[in-house]
Amino acid sequence: FGIPALLVATLTLSPAAATAQSGNDATGEDVYPPLWDLAPENLVDFLVKDNKIIINAWNYRERLGMYKNLLNSSAKYFTAFGSQNFGNVLWGLPLQHGWQFRTGRLADPSRTTSCGYEEGDLLCISVRSWWSCMNYYLAVIPFLGAVEAGLFGQLQHEIEILPPEEGSADFCYSVADCRSRIPELMDEWKAYFEVNHFTFCCPTSFSSFELDDALGLMWRAHVASIAYARPKFQDSLKYLSDPEANFGEDWANAVDFIAATHFSTDLQTTNQFQTFLPQRMLVEGDVLPSITGFTPQQNRVLLSLRALHAANQWTGGLLLKLWRRAMSTEAGRKLGRKLIEDLTSS
């Protein structure tokens, strides 16, 4: 596997990249995650009890609220990259969460409860959902890492995350709890917010704020979260159809490749990218590359993710190692993104 073949093998990972830099501002309410306006936008908007801020991370609106607080509090770092905080690289996290909610991926896939369904609690996030458990480590951990890094300033109240009804041992629930149980992962997210903070506040001590640096730190923490959570929730895939379980694993594998390019996760680019993702759960009988109701581009992306995962497994991870080597410099990452843009626009 040479580098040219490697780039060709991964070129369809970012089908939206060709239009990502079109220059059009993201406008309209539909660019935001579902119920964005109803999500708590200040920490005091959550339940405050016994001198603690209590957050139910198993409720879609409240988990979305954690993202909203992260976006609001980090907006000052991204004023040079677009108006209305659209250039903030954290947009990829709540937009992915919104896509999961909108497509039913946060509901109980076993159907033993009504969690996440209209006939039950639509805003309920099921602990049996592979997607929701993986997302916990891309929501709660970044949020608590930001708390530890001082993003929200000096807090008067301790923050406590409520546990799920089952499987509580798989998660942590406060800064101290997570710090003692997953210190390396907390370090990754804390580092992202600390570097942004000190670069912004103390320019004489740190180099000027660079978007590529912010993306690199964010993706490093993102990949670390998935790497930690993936084996922990492997058994949760049993609740999914085979096509959906395969897609979940393909997607987790693809994130490593996307991350290496420092793919932009601002509001507009992420929205464009997500139009090429499946807009419903995959079910038995969905066969690539001709899934009924999916666009040709969606079928192509799913097939490409499947092939990429298979190739990376077949090479024992060599494919990813070569890709990371090719993307190890800013020039290499720029070339990688440019090749993806050119090939997907042709």
Side-chain angles (χ1 to χ4, degrees), residues 29-245:
E29 294 183 359
D30 58 335
V31 302
Y32 297 104
L35 307 182
W36 184 252
D37 288 343
L38 300 179
E41 58 183 57
N42 295 298
L43 292 181
V44 293
D45 293 334
F46 293 101
L47 174 66
V48 179
K49 183 179 180 181
D50 298 329
N51 204 36
K52 292 182 179 181
I53 297 172
I54 310 295
I55 301 176
N56 181 7
W58 302 97
N59 173 277
Y60 169 74
R61 189 182 70 86
E62 295 203 25
R63 192 180 289 193
L64 193 65
M66 288 191 286
Y67 286 131
K68 196 169 188 178
N69 276 266
L70 287 177
L71 264 294
N72 289 344
S73 295
S74 61
K76 59 188 176 184
Y77 306 138
F78 295 93
T79 55
F81 305 106
S83 62
Q84 302 181 60
N85 203 24
F86 290 162
N88 195 320
V89 301
L90 290 177
W91 273 113
L93 296 174
L95 287 169
Q96 271 284 285
H97 186 48
W99 166 77
Q100 292 165 356
F101 173 75
R102 188 175 61 251
T103 58
R105 288 180 163 84
L106 302 180
D108 181 0
S110 70
R111 281 283 190 172
T112 57
T113 71
S114 59
C115 177
Y117 296 99
E118 291 187 8
E119 64 270 22
D121 182 359
L122 184 61
L123 299 184
C124 174
I125 295 177
S126 175
V127 72
R128 295 192 176 189
S129 161
W130 179 84
W131 291 97
S132 74
C133 292
M134 294 290 289
N135 178 261
Y136 189 95
Y137 283 84
L138 289 169
V140 173
I141 310 308
F143 179 79
L144 294 178
V147 172
E148 190 176 31
L151 180 69
F152 306 112
Q154 198 71 29
L155 297 180
Q156 295 181 339
H157 307 289
E158 182 183 349
I159 291 178
E160 181 178 317
I161 311 297
L162 294 179
E165 293 183 357
E166 58 182 278
S168 60
D170 289 328
F171 309 95
C172 57
Y173 306 102
S174 68
V175 170
D177 184 27
C178 294
R179 168 54 57 188
S180 65
R181 293 167 63 178
I182 48 172
E184 295 86 0
L185 188 52
M186 285 288 285
D187 284 342
E188 294 288 1
W189 284 106
K190 183 184 178 185
Y192 167 75
F193 291 106
E194 280 185 337
V195 168
N196 287 351
H197 169 71
F198 286 117
T199 301
F200 181 82
C201 80
C202 314
T204 58
S205 302
F206 291 81
S207 60
S208 60
F209 187 89
E210 295 289 345
L211 188 59
D212 185 69
D213 295 336
L215 284 163
L217 286 166
M218 187 278 297
W219 275 118
R220 177 173 169 168
H222 191 128
V223 166
S225 281
I226 290 181
Y228 180 84
R230 195 172 176 183
K232 182 179 286 289
F233 301 111
Q234 190 70 21
D235 288 347
S236 297
L237 292 168
K238 67 185 179 184
Y239 296 118
L240 302 175
S241 68
D242 287 344
E244 180 69 17

